[in-house]
Amino acid sequence: FQVFNAETAELLSHHQVEIKQEFPREGWVEQDPKEILNSVYECVEKTCEKMKQLNINIANIRAIGVTNQRETTVVWDKTTGEPLYNAIVWLDLRTQSTVERLLNRVPGKNKTFSKFKTGLPLSTYFSAVKLRWLLDNVEEIRKAVEEQRAMFGTVDSWLIWVCICGTNGGIHCTDVTNASRTMLFNIHSLEWDPDLCKFFDIPMEILPTVRSSSEIYGVMKICPSRESGALTGVPISGCLGDQHAALVGQMCFRDGQAKNTYGTGCFLLCNTGQKTVFSEHGLITTIAYKMGKDKPVFYALEGSVAIAGAVVRWLRDNLGIAKTSQEVEKLAADVGTSYGCYFVPAFSGLYAPYWEPSARGIICGLTQFTNKNHIAFAALEAVCFQTREILDAMNKDCGIPLNQLQVDGGMTNNKIFMQLQSDILCIPVVKPSMPETTALGAAMAAGAAEGVEVWSLNPGDLTAVTCERFEPQINPEESEYRYARWKKAVMKSMGWETSDVPSNGKPK
């Protein structure tokens, strides 16, 4: 939870807690929706306490914005307010067989059959297949749907519904950016698509109402399970999927402006203005934002990479080669090269530009000389190479090559990594001094909403952001050579997994 000054965009106070990811089986990733909710309450309380210590009056908080990891799917009971299953997280892979079954019903097994309606390929990534899996496999959810007690939403919908009255008349809504990631939403008409709901066999009555990204959805209620109702009565008036919020927070309001966020995954979005651009090179078309009921909708081209920061966490938690993420960076810095070792972290298959769910992670080019430092370096380099693949695709689709890349997210604090990214892209990488651009974007949407109007989104009124620049320092030939080797490694990672899994859940 972060609090910003609406005039200067300065971060005044914040508090964060890490949410536990659960991995009940290989390829499954879940979170507890109640833990997500309690973390929000805890962060609100702690931030408000910190503000009191700084002598900032919390009565000055005028609006609240919500931003969330997109595609993560929650189904809850509107009569009890209880989640009916854990949230299925965006990079979860259990729906691979669901995707294959659905593809068999599509002429020519064309993954992009709904591209011109939704902007998306059929993939384990998007919410519709997660919801289909829940309806097929969780009796309690099927029963709740039959009895008209079920509500579906991405995490934003779940939080907004609970925070605005819940079972006592909660508002069941989402915004256009999150809706555009479900595979059930027509990005032109801005409505749920009856044909797609029929294709996935999803009842439309469980879907939230779709609103703009910046309007008053309702006001915060007192949380019954906690003493403080610190922000009771404050309007919730901004809602954006995390990558869209970062695009807004990076002030990418003009056609052709792009940003790359390095979180668990890695997401490069390029604003294409009020027109949809459909990719010929494996990118997806998504709604960038709609800043008010009567405001136009803006679109973006997006390249999504499933594993970025998660690869550093994997080296830390699964391999134990370092105790902290900072230590992984130090290991890489100590050698400054991967010594011919290449790492393709296709833990959840490959997303853009391949959309290949059968790929799995590989480390190749190993010799007796290779040590943990080289593997750490190869892991960081892998994130840079994945970004390069997406940037190449974006340049082909847009026709105008990006001359610099604006970046944000946790991994950008690592200077070695930022320099490596610039070297591999052969263009400057520009990082704002305030890296919390996702939260800033949600705050801007909330503050600009009609009826709140404490934040102007006119380009002339926006505070100029101080930035750090990283310029390429290696010759382009070396960069090209390493990139070609990486692409060779990617080819080796493909076609590894099939969905023929025997009944004990272990691959054959």
Side-chain angles (χ1 to χ4, degrees):
F1 186 78
Q2 288 152 326
V3 180
F4 294 90
N5 179 320
E7 283 172 13
T8 62
E10 175 196 0
L11 179 63
L12 300 175
S13 183
H14 67 98
H15 187 80
Q16 67 187 61
V17 294
E18 195 165 331
I19 292 166
K20 200 162 93 248
Q21 302 246 50
E22 293 170 31
F23 305 96
R25 292 197 205 171
E26 190 194 344
W28 292 30
V29 192
E30 296 178 1
Q31 287 168 348
D32 177 352
K34 295 191 86 164
E35 189 193 338
I36 297 172
L37 179 64
N38 286 327
S39 75
V40 169
Y41 286 142
E42 185 187 332
C43 288
V44 166
E45 280 185 19
K46 292 279 199 307
T47 305
C48 289
E49 282 166 24
K50 288 177 186 176
M51 288 176 72
K52 282 174 186 161
Q53 287 160 14
L54 293 166
N55 289 326
I56 304 171
N57 186 350
I58 63 166
N60 289 335
I61 295 178
R62 297 284 299 277
I64 298 164
V66 176
T67 181
N68 57 294
Q69 287 192 333
R70 312 163 300 169
E71 301 95 18
T72 298
T73 298
V74 190
V75 180
W76 67 96
D77 185 323
K78 65 180 168 194
T79 55
T80 64
E82 293 292 311
L84 293 167
Y85 194 82
N86 269 349
I88 300 184
V89 176
W90 59 276
L91 46 62
D92 183 282
L93 275 181
R94 76 187 67 186
T95 53
Q96 198 170 328
S97 56
T98 310
V99 167
E100 284 170 20
R101 199 179 71 241
L102 290 163
L103 261 183
N104 286 333
R105 293 172 35 204
V106 178
K109 292 193 176 184
N110 175 14
K111 266 184 223 176
T112 58
F113 74 99
S114 71
K115 171 171 153 177
F116 295 108
K117 269 186 180 181
T118 64
L120 315 173
L122 182 57
S123 159
T124 57
Y125 180 22
F126 307 110
S127 313
V129 288
K130 298 180 189 341
L131 182 51
R132 184 65 258 151
W133 186 92
L134 288 166
L135 292 166
D136 289 338
N137 291 280
V138 183
E139 182 56 42
E140 216 179 329
I141 288 182
R142 221 174 12 243
K143 201 160 169 253
V145 169
E146 279 165 21
E147 294 170 10
Q148 302 191 323
R149 292 182 284 114
M151 286 183 158
F152 151 79
T154 37
V155 172
D156 56 305
S157 298
W158 159 244
L159 294 177
I160 290 171
W161 183 82
V162 178
C163 291
I164 304 175
C165 299
T167 50
N168 302 317
I171 304 288
H172 186 209
C173 69
T174 188
D175 89 300
V176 288
T177 66
N178 281 296
S180 77
R181 314 297 294 196
T182 58
M183 272 207 96
L184 300 170
F185 189 67
N186 186 312
I187 59 174
H188 310 286
S189 67
L190 307 186
E191 288 172 346
W192 298 118
D193 189 281
D195 295 337
L196 286 167
C197 289
K198 203 167 170 183
F199 174 76
F200 288 103
D201 193 16
I202 285 167
M204 292 180 81
E205 57 275 14
I206 73 171
L207 304 177
T209 306
V210 184
R211 314 268 287 264
S212 77
S213 312
S214 175
E215 60 179 87
I216 295 175
Y217 313 112
V219 298
M220 277 284 271
K221 71 165 174 61
I222 293 172
C223 164
S225 64
R226 291 178 180 261
E227 269 135 59
S228 91
L231 301 180
T232 304
V234 177
I236 299 177
S237 55
C239 178
L240 286 157
D242 51 3
Q243 304 311 324
H244 313 258
L247 192 75
V248 170
Q250 285 266 31
M251 322 284 178
C252 294
F253 293 122
R254 285 199 315 277
D255 193 343
Q257 285 185 303
K259 67 89 209 169
N260 198 27
T261 301
Y262 302 83
T264 306
C266 188
F267 302 90
L268 179 53
L269 271 72
C270 179
N271 189 333
T272 62
Q274 293 177 45
K275 62 183 186 300
T276 49
V277 174
F278 291 100
S279 174
E280 296 299 316
H281 303 93
L283 303 180
I284 59 185
T285 305
T286 196
I287 291 177
Y289 50 80
K290 183 182 191 306
M291 287 302 189
K293 279 183 206 172
D294 307 318
K295 293 287 194 323
V297 63
F298 280 71
Y299 295 93
L301 265 179
E302 173 176 333
S304 329
V305 166
I307 304 291
V311 74
V312 176
R313 202 178 311 146
W314 182 82
L315 290 174
R316 184 191 72 190
D317 299 346
N318 293 36
L319 291 197
I321 71 168
K323 289 191 175 65
T324 64
S325 302
Q326 287 70 28
E327 219 178 298
V328 174
E329 292 156 22
K330 189 179 178 315
L331 288 172
D334 285 349
V335 282
T337 172
S338 70
Y339 207 80
C341 166
Y342 289 85
F343 190 159
V344 182
F347 302 157
S348 295
L350 288 166
Y351 285 10
Y354 301 102
W355 299 105
E356 192 45 75
S358 69
R360 286 295 176 275
I362 60 165
I363 302 175
C364 57
L366 302 176
T367 67
Q368 282 178 307
F369 182 74
T370 311
N371 61 30
K372 63 183 182 179
N373 298 64
H374 300 123
I375 290 171
F377 191 93
L380 295 183
E381 210 172 28
V383 180
C384 299
F385 285 135
Q386 289 181 111
T387 299
R388 166 78 191 262
E389 290 197 290
I390 284 170
L391 197 73
D392 284 0
M394 203 149 285
N395 287 340
K396 285 174 194 158
D397 281 326
C398 294
I400 307 159
L402 284 180
N403 54 12
Q404 65 173 34
L405 184 64
Q406 288 175 234
V407 298
D408 57 78
M411 288 184 82
T412 62
N413 295 326
N414 176 352
K415 286 186 163 49
I416 281 128
F417 171 67
M418 288 286 88
Q419 184 56 55
L420 190 57
Q421 183 66 89
S422 176
D423 288 345
I424 286 167
L425 295 180
C426 305
I427 58 172
V429 167
V430 181
K431 176 198 163 198
S433 52
M434 202 284 292
E436 299 297 342
T437 50
T438 302
L440 176 61
M444 289 165 70
E450 191 181 335
V452 178
E453 293 152 291
V454 293
W455 206 308
S456 166
L457 298 181
N458 293 334
D461 300 333
L462 296 170
T463 317
V465 186
T466 54
C467 291
E468 195 174 353
R469 275 175 79 85
F470 297 86
E471 303 275 349
Q473 287 178 357
I474 64 170
N475 68 38
E477 288 76 30
E478 189 192 334
S479 177
E480 290 306 318
Y481 172 76
R482 279 155 60 183
Y483 182 46
R485 294 284 287 253
W486 151 264
K487 287 185 94 86
K488 193 173 168 185
V490 171
M491 291 302 134
K492 305 265 184 216
S493 77
M494 299 226 194
W496 190 263
E497 196 54 72
T498 67
S499 60
D500 304 332
V501 178
S503 56
N504 67 359
K506 291 194 172 123
K508 283 177 184 163

